[in-house]
Amino acid sequence: MNSIDQSGILAISTRLQRISDRLRKDGLQIYKENGIEFEPKWFPVIYTLEQKKCLSIGELAAEIGYAHPSTISLLKELEKEKLIISVKDKKDDRKRLIQLTPKAEELITRMRPVWKIMTAAATELTDTTNNIMLAINEVEAAFKKKSFLERALTIMENNKTASATKTTDHVEVRKISSAEDLKTAFAIRRQVFVVGQNVNAEAEEEGNEEATHFLAKVNDLPAGTARWRKTKDGYKLERFAVLNAYRGSGVGAALVQTILADLPKGARTYLHAQLRAAKFYEKNGFVQFGDVFTEENIEHIKMEQYI
């Protein structure tokens, strides 16, 4: 047994990648044996569009379960191969819809008999005591409840709380520039808002694409996040989320001050503060205005500051 196999669950990603690579390599060869030039990595997009006919990029990404950038990368390849085209949505000129070309439809007709062969071979390959397809379904269901990253963050929080020390915490806040850090920020927000406060997941994700995001770390470990968006009323500060284990470590204040320093001098900044956090924002220069209102069943107050 090699070292990767001996590492057990720690190498689950590597072992799944090995299986995936072998299936893709053999799949490519099966297509070639049948006179078809087709990359197995294109399958999820082609198959989904064959079933759904016409989808936006966001809808397609959700259907195949890929991240938005990965989906766009695949679409560029398929467009270059003239297997897909994008058309304007008749209901919304700003929206582009993806659909198959006649070339792709003809290719699918040739591939259907090959898919039957692949299905039979894959069924034979996975006909084991611990059927991998059943296990995949279970793991994917577990992912929907809580991701690998979110579970790791929870364990890190619990470890931090359990081993609380008197060492001085080093807080660092940076503007997010990588997909990995953005994914971490979103996981923190989900942990704080969706899991901790029962906020609707779709509502929590609104405005992500147009915002500038920040990630706070304590002793080089992920601890909190926030963002700002430019609106007609000024610069709106939003989604301040700090993991429980790092509250009281100065993470929130560091996020506020770093974001304010990122904005133009003299600008109007504002936010919708949860009522229980209003005093915290007052300490950081914000002033309340308007009446108390409710968002996601949580009482809020509007606050502003000119910087």
Side-chain angles (χ1 to χ4, degrees):
M1 184 180 291
N2 61 43
S3 57
I4 294 298
D5 293 346
Q6 288 177 336
S7 67
I9 194 69
L10 182 61
I12 183 172
S13 177
T14 302
R15 298 188 70 176
L16 288 173
Q17 184 66 47
R18 282 193 327 206
I19 293 172
S20 177
D21 287 346
R22 293 184 68 176
L23 287 171
R24 287 178 186 275
K25 182 180 178 181
D26 286 356
L28 180 62
Q29 190 61 35
I30 293 168
Y31 284 125
K32 286 184 176 180
E33 291 290 332
N34 286 273
I36 297 172
E37 291 296 325
F38 186 79
E39 292 283 346
K41 65 180 177 179
W42 298 340
F43 173 79
V45 173
I46 294 296
Y47 185 82
T48 299
L49 289 176
E50 197 271 335
Q51 299 292 315
K52 301 288 185 175
K53 304 305 179 186
C54 199
L55 295 171
S56 69
I57 295 176
E59 291 169 338
L60 182 59
E63 281 284 335
I64 66 177
Y66 283 16
H68 201 267
S70 299
T71 304
I72 291 176
S73 178
L74 276 177
L75 293 179
K76 286 181 179 178
E77 289 186 35
L78 290 165
E79 192 168 30
K80 185 177 180 181
E81 295 293 326
K82 295 182 171 53
L83 295 175
I84 62 163
I85 56 171
S86 64
V87 297
K88 284 185 178 180
D89 187 342
K90 294 179 180 179
K91 297 179 181 178
D92 186 350
D93 287 342
R94 299 168 300 176
K95 190 176 181 181
R96 305 294 295 182
L97 299 176
I98 309 300
Q99 62 186 40
L100 297 176
T101 62
K103 178 182 177 181
E105 297 285 1
E106 186 274 333
L107 184 62
I108 289 172
T109 299
R110 294 170 56 206
M111 287 195 294
R112 281 201 181 99
V114 181
W115 287 347
K116 289 183 180 179
I117 294 170
M118 288 179 160
T119 299
T123 300
E124 181 181 313
L125 181 66
T126 60
D127 185 20
T128 59
T129 303
N130 301 305
N131 188 286
I132 191 172
M133 286 304 298
L134 295 178
I136 287 173
N137 289 337
E138 293 173 351
V139 173
E140 287 185 335
F143 257 108
K144 289 179 180 178
K145 293 180 180 178
K146 202 172 187 180
S147 74
F148 181 37
L149 175 58
E150 289 164 349
R151 293 169 193 272
L153 287 173
T154 299
I155 293 169
M156 288 160 60
E157 264 201 283
N158 292 340
N159 289 346
K160 165 79 175 179
T161 303
S163 61
T165 64
K166 295 181 180 180
T167 57
T168 302
D169 289 324
H170 172 66
V171 180
E172 180 182 26
V173 179
R174 289 187 179 180
K175 188 184 297 184
I176 291 176
S177 59
S178 71
E180 291 79 9
D181 281 350
L182 191 60
K183 188 174 181 180
T184 299
F186 291 165
I188 291 172
R189 281 169 38 184
R190 180 178 173 85
Q191 180 74 10
V192 172
F193 296 124
V194 179
V195 177
Q197 298 181 351
N198 200 33
V199 171
N200 178 273
E202 291 185 5
E204 198 284 319
E205 294 169 0
E206 288 178 357
N208 277 339
E209 293 186 3
E210 64 204 56
T212 298
H213 303 266
F214 294 78
L215 180 66
K217 292 186 176 182
V218 174
N219 302 329
D220 209 32
L221 294 175
T225 184
R227 74 185 195 191
W228 65 258
R229 285 189 302 131
K230 181 72 168 66
T231 75
K232 62 182 179 61
D233 297 316
Y235 294 88
K236 188 180 182 188
L237 281 60
E238 302 174 308
R239 304 300 192 270
F240 283 89
V242 178
L243 294 171
N244 286 330
Y246 297 101
R247 291 176 187 174
S249 299
V251 174
L255 281 164
V256 172
Q257 297 307 316
T258 302
I259 290 179
L260 291 177
D262 189 55
L263 299 175
K265 295 298 180 184
R268 177 183 186 261
T269 67
Y270 70 102
L271 51 82
H272 294 173
Q274 292 189 14
L275 199 58
R276 60 187 176 185
K279 290 189 180 299
F280 162 77
Y281 291 110
E282 285 178 348
K283 291 178 181 178
N284 284 276
F286 286 87
V287 178
Q288 298 184 24
F289 70 96
D291 298 323
V292 174
F293 62 98
T294 301
E295 282 183 345
E296 294 295 322
N297 296 315
I298 300 172
E299 288 188 322
H300 286 72
I301 186 71
K302 294 179 181 179
M303 305 186 76
E304 64 179 355
Q305 177 179 175
Y306 288 83
I307 56 177

